[in-house]
């Protein structure tokens, strides 16, 4: 990934990487992952591990103890993975980024490693990204890497919310076999697949409702979808805090929504595959007919309104990512893309920020004083 999007680490995080399997060192504010160099160190790996998780500035300068060649410094340059957090706001790290999360004078969010929506569309250096973060190799199928990766929940959530961009917006391999085409859904399939059953359902419901009554039920269904959209996005797609710390939970999270935050500009893994939405929508059919048990027509009209709301949501979601929108939609686009590159723990409304305002999850934007001209 671009150097300006390297993450920041707390001192405790650096100190935790103190083994042969994961060895970090610091030089000033720069954090280096020298794991691959442990066995290759001319003086033996034990010398490196003695300083694992520590600052090596003094030992590098101590020629009497151990002279270091230019090649050693080149190894460090290639191993830079981030910068050490600092409570002060002015310290810079090697001239590339500031320890408070600034890079090139621009605020960089320490959790996502990004500063603006344009960063979402910058191609990831696949080799460098994998070497630096040791998460997923974008050149190989992602699903088995997540399943067999042995990632902890904490590490997975940190990495999956640092967006990557694959080859100009192409779809990275997910399964690498006959299932691959089934993982991709073009945006136009959503209205083509779902509008006919919505239309047919309204036609059936009209036999027992007046025109005004059916419109009222349909609008009620739209309103229900609005709160359902917010609830599903916040408490199902972003159940991060309650995510089971095992590969089943992590893989399900990645398949359902994590891959969208990992590769947010992938055009074919943005709208929901019809089969998956059918599974999610079935309980709501039962719910509608349980609530409005006295009238099948009312329940069906309300349900159709909800499904139409979903169609509007998925199309809006796609266009927010991939289309230039009219002026009245640009603020919505700005808010949603900030959910990806700035603060994924807020801003759950996609078609409207209304429920974010109600429940206090509005996006706050970059912190004052973090930006500079």
């Amino acid at each position: 990934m671009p150097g300006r999007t390297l993450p920041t680490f707390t001192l405790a995080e650096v100190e935790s990487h103190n083994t042969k399997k994961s060895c970090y060192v610091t030089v000033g504010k720069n954090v280096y992952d020298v794991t691959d160099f442990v066995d290759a160190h001319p003086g033996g790996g034990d010398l490196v591990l003695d300083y694992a998780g520590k600052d090596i500035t003094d030992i590098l300068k101590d020629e009497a103890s151990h002279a270091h060649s230019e090649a050693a410094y080149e190894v460090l340059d290639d191993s830079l993975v981030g910068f050490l957090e600092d409570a002060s706001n002015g310290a810079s790290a090697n001239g590339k980024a500031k320890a408070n999360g600034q890079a090139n004078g621009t605020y960089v969010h320490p959790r996502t490693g990004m500063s603006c929506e344009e960063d979402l569309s910058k191609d990831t250096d696949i080799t460098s990204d994998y070497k630096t973060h040791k998460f997923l190799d974008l050149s190989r199928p992602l699903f088995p890497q997540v399943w067999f990766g042995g990632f902890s929940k904490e590490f997975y959530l940190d990495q999956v919310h640092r967006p990557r961009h694959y080859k100009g917006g192409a779809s990275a391999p997910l399964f690498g076999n006959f299932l691959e085409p089934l993982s991709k859904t073009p945006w136009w399939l959503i209205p083509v697949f779902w509008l006919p059953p919505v239309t047919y359902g309204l036609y059936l419901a009209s036999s027992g409702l007046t025109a005004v009554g059916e419109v009222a039920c349909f609008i009620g269904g739209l309103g229900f979808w609005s709160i359902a959209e917010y609830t599903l996005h916040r408490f199902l797609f972003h159940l991060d805090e309650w995510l089971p710390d095992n590969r089943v939970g992590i893989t399900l999270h990645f398949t359902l929504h994590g891959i969208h935050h990992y590769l947010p500009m992938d055009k074919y893994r943005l709208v929901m595959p019809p089969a998956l939405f059918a599974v999610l929508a079935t309980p709501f059919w039962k719910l509608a007919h349980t609530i409005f048990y006295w009238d099948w027509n009312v329940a069906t009209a309300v349900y159709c309104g909800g499904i139409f709301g979903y169609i509007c949501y998925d199309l809006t979601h796609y266009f927010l990512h991939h289309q230039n929108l009219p002026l009245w939609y640009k603020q919505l686009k700005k808010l949603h893309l900030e959910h990806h590159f700035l603060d994924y723990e807020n801003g759950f409304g996609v078609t409207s920020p209304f429920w974010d305002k109600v429940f206090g999850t509005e996006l706050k934007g970059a912190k004052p004083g973090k930006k500079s001209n």
Side-chain angles (χ1 to χ4, degrees), residues 220-264:
L222 282 173
F224 176 80
W225 167 258
S226 177
I227 184 63
E229 170 196 315
Y230 175 88
T231 303
L232 289 171
H233 192 186
R234 181 178 180 182
F235 296 107
L236 177 61
F237 298 162
H238 283 273
L239 79 170
D240 301 2
E241 184 180 346
W242 302 280
L243 182 67
D245 193 358
N246 58 56
R247 68 178 181 178
V248 174
I250 287 172
T251 305
L252 285 174
H253 181 277
F254 184 79
T255 304
L256 186 64
H257 195 61
I259 191 173
H260 175 55
H261 273 262
Y262 189 63
L263 295 163

Side-chain angles (χ1 to χ4, degrees), residues 13 151-159 245 250:
E13 287 174 327
F151 306 124
S152 68
K153 180 176 80 169
E154 181 181 10
F155 176 77
Y156 164 77
L157 290 174
D158 174 69
Q159 289 298 319
D245 193 358
I250 287 172

Side-chain angles (χ1 to χ4, degrees), residues 135-136 141-151 156 247 250-251 254:
F135 181 46
L136 301 178
L142 302 178
F143 186 89
Q145 291 185 74
V146 175
W147 180 257
F148 294 109
F151 306 124
Y156 164 77
R247 68 178 181 178
I250 287 172
T251 305
F254 184 79

Side-chain angles (χ1 to χ4, degrees), residues 28-345:
K29 298 300 178 184
N30 290 9
V31 179
Y32 301 94
D33 181 355
V34 295
T35 307
D36 294 338
F37 185 63
V38 171
D39 290 331
H41 189 266
D46 289 342
L47 286 177
V48 179
L49 293 175
D50 284 343
Y51 289 89
K54 302 175 183 177
D55 187 271
I56 60 172
T57 303
D58 291 339
I59 192 65
L60 286 175
K61 295 178 180 179
D62 186 0
E63 294 186 6
S65 172
H66 184 72
H68 288 88
S69 65
E70 287 298 318
Y73 289 93
E74 291 176 2
V75 169
L76 282 180
D77 287 341
D78 292 338
S79 304
L80 182 68
V81 292
F83 307 101
L84 196 61
E85 285 186 358
D86 195 325
S88 61
N89 284 334
S92 63
N94 200 28
K96 293 183 179 179
K98 293 187 178 180
N100 63 1
Q102 295 185 32
N104 298 334
T106 304
Y107 174 73
V108 175
H109 195 282
R111 298 284 295 278
T112 65
M114 297 198 161
S115 63
C116 61
E117 65 183 66
E118 287 78 13
D119 286 348
L120 295 171
S121 298
K122 291 180 179 178
D123 275 2
T124 297
D125 183 327
I126 295 174
T127 302
S128 175
D129 178 68
Y130 183 65
K131 179 181 178 182
T132 299
H133 298 285
K134 294 180 173 57
F135 181 46
L136 301 178
D137 182 349
L138 286 168
S139 66
R140 298 188 292 118
L142 302 178
F143 186 89
Q145 291 185 74
V146 175
W147 180 257
F148 294 109
F151 306 124
S152 68
K153 180 176 80 169
E154 181 181 10
F155 176 77
Y156 164 77
L157 290 174
D158 174 69
Q159 289 298 319
V160 84
H161 288 115
R162 294 181 181 274
R164 275 74 163 179
H165 189 61
Y166 182 76
K167 296 183 178 180
S171 296
L174 182 60
F175 296 107
N177 55 30
F178 68 95
L179 293 173
E180 196 70 24
L182 300 178
S183 71
K184 302 176 183 179
T185 307
W187 70 268
W188 51 262
L189 186 61
I190 301 305
V192 167
F193 189 92
W194 290 110
L195 279 178
V198 167
T199 303
Y200 182 63
L202 291 173
Y203 167 73
L204 294 178
S206 66
S207 63
L209 296 170
T210 64
V212 173
E214 187 168 30
V215 169
C217 292
F218 184 81
I219 293 175
L222 282 173
F224 176 80
W225 167 258
S226 177
I227 184 63
E229 170 196 315
Y230 175 88
T231 303
L232 289 171
H233 192 186
R234 181 178 180 182
F235 296 107
L236 177 61
F237 298 162
H238 283 273
L239 79 170
D240 301 2
E241 184 180 346
W242 302 280
L243 182 67
D245 193 358
N246 58 56
R247 68 178 181 178
V248 174
I250 287 172
T251 305
L252 285 174
H253 181 277
F254 184 79
T255 304
L256 186 64
H257 195 61
I259 191 173
H260 175 55
H261 273 262
Y262 189 63
L263 295 163
M265 303 309 285
D266 183 340
K267 293 183 178 181
Y268 294 103
R269 296 199 178 102
L270 200 157
V271 298
M272 192 173 293
L276 178 57
F277 182 68
V279 171
L280 294 176
T282 298
F284 289 100
W285 170 265
K286 299 290 186 182
L287 178 63
H289 284 269
T290 299
I291 294 175
F292 303 103
Y293 63 91
W294 66 88
D295 195 321
W296 186 93
N297 299 299
V298 169
T300 300
V302 169
Y303 184 76
C304 288
I307 299 300
F308 185 77
Y310 157 73
I311 296 171
C312 294
Y313 152 79
D314 239 355
L315 295 184
T316 298
H317 190 196
Y318 180 87
F319 294 141
L320 292 180
H321 277 264
H322 294 292
Q323 296 293 327
N324 289 323
L325 299 168
L327 183 61
W328 47 278
Y329 250 130
K330 288 188 182 297
Q331 179 63 18
L332 200 59
K333 179 184 181 81
K334 175 179 178 292
L335 288 173
H336 182 65
L337 295 186
E338 283 184 355
H339 170 72
H340 282 279
F341 76 79
L342 183 64
D343 184 2
Y344 56 86
E345 294 177 318

